[in-house]
Each structure stands twice: as C-alpha cells, then as structure tokens.
Amino acid sequence: MSAALAVQPPVQTRRTSLFERDLLYLFSYDADLEMRRDELGFVPGGLRVNITSKPNKTRMYHVARESSTLGFKAVEGTITSGIDRALIRNDNIGVLDVQLTMRTDDGALIYSEYRGLYPAGDRGYRRLISRQPLLGTELQPFKAPVYVTPRYQTDSPDYRWLTQYQCVGFGEVTVIKSDIRSVTFDIYALD
Amino acid sequence: MNRSHFLSRQMQYLFSFDLDLGASRASTRKAAGLANQILPSDAALCPADSKNVVYHALDEAQVGGEPAITGQVAFAQDKIDFPPGRDFGEISGRLVIRTRDKALIESTYTGVLRARAFWPLVVRDYGGVADAQANADLPEVETKAQLTTHFETGSAKYRWLVERQCAGFGRVRLRGGEPTWASFDIYSLA
C-alpha cells in the first residue's frame, strides 16, 4: 500500500524498526566509452574529464531476457548519445555527471541524467592521473564498482511508468592503461 | 555479448532521521493556474531540542566497522515539485546533521514521493492560494518516498560517509500538499 490516511497523527517517537524497502530491476546496459575523451585538466579538487560513449553502440537489455518489466514493456534499445562530465577527485573518489538519451527498439526516446560515485581506491587518483604505473592491462583490466542515481524523462505512453521512480544503478567500470574503457550497469527502481 | 548475470548489489543500512516539518517551516505557494506548482520552503534552523533526530534504528554503535551516526538535524531546506498531470512528486533539498560529537555533515538529496491511487488526497486542495484554517482541517496523508543522497563533511571521523553513494527509503506526511513530517532510513550502495 502506498499511502494511508492518518486522522489522528500518532505521537511521534523514534522508530526501532526499518521501513520496508525494495529494489525493482528495470534493465541493464553496457556502455562503450572509447568514442572520445577530453581532458579538461586540473580544476580545484581534481581532474575534469569528459567521456563520450559511442553512439548507438550501447544496448539496453533485460539480463534475464524477459520481455516485460513490472508489467510493462521491457526497456530495450540503444543509447543514442551519452556524455559523462567526470571529476576525478584528489580524495580518490570519481564523481559522475551523466546525460544520455536512449531510443527503444520501438522508437521511443528516453532521456536520463544522473550523478554517481565510484571509489577509485587508495592512491587511485594518483594512479589515474600519473599513469605510473598504468592501471589495468588488456589481459587484466582494472575493474571497480560504480553507483549511479538516474531519473528518467519521456513522453512515450509505453515508458512513462519509468518517470515516477527514483532509480539507482549498480555498475562496474573497466579501466585499461589508466583509461576508462567501458562501464556496465544494472538499473533498479527504489520502492 | 550482453550479460546474462546480475552484478552484485547490496545496501548497507547507515542511519535514520526524523523531520518535524510543521512548526518550524515557512512555505510559499505559487498561485493556482501555473503549470508547475512549486512549494519551496524557507530554510528551517532546527532548535537543539527538536524532534529532528538522527539515530540508528537498531541501536547499534557501529556500521560496518565505522562509527554510527547519531545526533540531530540542524538545518533543513527542501522543495517539492508536483508535475502537472502526474501522480508523483519530486523532492530535492539539503539537510545538515550535527552529530552528538559536534561534527557537521551535509546531505544533498533528490527523490520522489509516490502514493499511486492516493495521490489525489496528497494534493487535495493544493490550489495555490489556500486558506490556512481550511488546510488545517484536511487530514494528513502519508506517502512513500525514495531518495538518493551524498554527503560532505570535513570531519575525519565521518570521512567514510563522503565515499558512499546513498539511497533512502522513507515516509512523508502531507496536509493539503504541505509536508508536515518525514522519516527516512539511509543506506549505502555497496
């Protein structure tokens, strides 16, 4: 149940139990980030980098290959454009600032923007900027978790259900020779 | 080849907070007829003895080896947007936590209020220029709310919080579109 009337609000005391919570799986995507990388340079707090994904090379898909999600049509398609205006902070935290547009296989456009974090690990900042030693190899890429917080906007009646949710993404970034090469996410709605 | 397995997903409970939004809140409503009705609030400086507390709901002293966060909400500023024709609200804001050992931690958050079939009750009589007394006669409606947040602090003891992307699950009570009380459980995504 989503709501209840409270005719007489109870005297408010500190809770001793947690609210119910759920993560509702929505879709996944794998982003190839080798399109373009612009290093803006050092700014107060860290290094700014703009990373652009290859257009139409990133698929949204359902991990379990199901055709519906939460009773609605599954989100399947491609990311037509995406950019991450990233800040690699000098306290070893990467901050994501992403805007992307998705086109579903049935032609709907869905826009998303989100912030996120990825812990670069101890001395991660120095290793990423100094490239000495290079982080990750082709045979043994460096992988790190990344977490994002997307919301979605669309006017498509088939996908408007997405817009009501605050979402989170659990992801993994792949770094080779200190370059972020790709990132993959599972996206969930908070409920 | 797309993945056929889920990535690891875990959430670690961190702390909870309660916000009494009734007494110390001033609000402004835009006049009825505007397409996007916004309800900004004045920043609420919460008194030390307020009901705006931060606590561990299970009374544990540590969270994953780090000190639990307990104290009070010292400052809260929030905004609710009611997208026209939709059955949810969008929330955003900041709050400052003062821990029992006097550290200051700021949270910046965004999220949603959702009440599905009860949404008309949430925004009932939210016509912009409402009679305060009439509003007081409306029943309170409690909605589910979800938010994402991150933290900033200069405290060495709580520095670990800054490295976490967090999410919150909570409840918000509104009367005539005005929030009166909120409570959230905050989790770290891990």
Side-chain angles (χ1 to χ4, degrees):
Chain A
M1 187 179 72
S2 298
L5 286 174
V7 177
Q8 291 288 342
V11 175
Q12 195 53 49
T13 58
R14 212 194 76 168
R15 283 183 294 116
T16 55
S17 63
L18 301 176
F19 290 125
E20 287 182 4
R21 72 184 192 282
D22 206 356
L23 291 175
L24 308 175
Y25 174 72
L26 299 182
F27 61 92
S28 301
Y29 63 87
D30 308 326
D32 186 333
L33 301 176
E34 293 187 69
M35 171 69 178
R36 182 173 167 157
R37 173 191 168 104
D38 294 324
E39 282 199 17
L40 277 66
F42 292 98
V43 299
L47 174 68
R48 273 278 286 110
V49 180
N50 286 350
I51 305 169
T52 309
S53 64
K54 288 182 180 177
N56 301 311
K57 295 292 184 186
T58 299
R59 284 287 303 175
M60 298 103 63
Y61 59 96
H62 194 294
V63 163
R65 306 300 186 261
E66 294 181 9
S67 58
S68 68
T69 302
L70 304 180
F72 299 98
K73 195 183 298 187
V75 180
E76 295 177 321
T78 57
I79 294 177
T80 58
S81 64
I83 184 168
D84 178 10
R85 295 178 174 85
L87 172 66
I88 304 170
R89 288 181 2 191
N90 55 18
D91 61 355
N92 302 318
I93 296 171
V95 180
L96 288 71
D97 182 356
V98 177
Q99 293 84 39
L100 60 84
T101 303
M102 308 183 287
R103 184 183 294 277
T104 61
D105 289 339
D106 52 8
L109 283 177
I110 304 171
Y111 174 75
S112 176
E113 57 184 24
Y114 54 83
R115 305 296 295 269
L117 289 180
Y118 75 90
D122 189 33
R123 298 183 184 178
Y125 170 73
R126 288 214 165 274
R127 291 187 71 181
L128 280 169
I129 65 167
S130 70
R131 298 173 173 262
Q132 290 183 358
L134 291 173
L135 193 60
T137 66
E138 298 283 354
L139 287 178
Q140 276 193 313
F142 173 78
K143 291 181 184 288
V146 56
Y147 311 101
V148 296
T149 60
R151 293 284 315 281
Y152 297 97
Q153 298 176 30
T154 184
D155 204 36
S156 164
D158 289 332
Y159 301 98
R160 284 187 89 192
W161 59 272
L162 265 176
T163 66
Q164 66 180 298
Y165 290 111
Q166 175 63 63
C167 301
V168 293
F170 294 83
E172 185 178 79
V173 63
T174 299
V175 179
I176 296 174
K177 297 180 182 177
S178 293
D179 285 332
I180 299 173
R181 294 288 187 90
S182 65
V183 64
T184 183
F185 282 106
D186 292 333
I187 304 297
Y188 295 82
L190 303 180
D191 190 32
Chain B
M1 176 75 73
N2 296 140
R3 278 185 290 115
S4 57
H5 65 276
F6 289 102
L7 298 174
S8 171
R9 72 180 187 280
Q10 292 180 33
M11 291 196 300
Q12 179 184 39
Y13 171 70
L14 299 182
F15 63 90
S16 301
F17 68 85
D18 298 341
L19 268 180
D20 179 2
L21 296 166
S24 57
R25 174 190 177 88
S27 66
T28 307
R29 293 180 172 194
K30 286 193 176 179
L34 290 178
N36 187 12
Q37 297 172 339
I38 296 174
L39 226 169
S41 73
D42 289 344
L45 195 60
C46 307
D49 60 349
S50 76
K51 302 170 194 170
N52 303 321
V53 291
V54 181
Y55 56 96
H56 194 290
L58 307 178
D59 261 336
E60 294 179 8
Q62 285 200 323
V63 174
E66 302 288 355
I69 297 174
T70 59
Q72 290 209 295
V73 177
F75 178 94
Q77 182 175 32
D78 61 272
K79 183 166 74 82
I80 305 177
D81 292 322
F82 297 97
R86 306 309 307 275
D87 60 356
F88 62 90
E90 297 175 327
I91 59 176
S92 61
R94 294 173 188 255
L95 56 86
V96 175
I97 296 167
R98 181 183 293 112
T99 64
R100 284 187 183 168
D101 48 10
K102 308 301 182 192
L104 291 178
I105 304 169
E106 181 176 83
S107 159
T108 304
Y109 64 86
T110 59
V112 294
L113 300 176
R114 291 166 49 229
R116 297 204 178 114
F118 290 93
W119 190 250
L121 292 174
V122 173
V123 295
R124 179 180 167 187
D125 287 344
Y126 179 50
V129 183
D131 181 273
Q133 181 56 50
N135 215 33
D137 295 334
L138 292 171
E140 267 190 333
V141 182
E142 184 171 291
T143 72
K144 290 176 74 171
Q146 299 88 30
L147 57 80
T148 58
T149 183
H150 64 273
F151 298 93
E152 292 182 300
T153 183
S155 163
K157 181 177 179 182
Y158 299 103
R159 175 75 176 76
W160 60 271
L161 248 188
V162 172
E163 301 170 0
R164 310 289 185 96
Q165 179 63 62
C166 296
F169 298 83
R171 301 289 186 273
V172 177
R173 293 187 187 142
L174 302 97
R175 177 181 285 117
E178 294 260 10
T180 57
W181 173 87
S183 183
F184 280 88
D185 298 328
I186 302 298
Y187 293 79
S188 166
L189 304 185

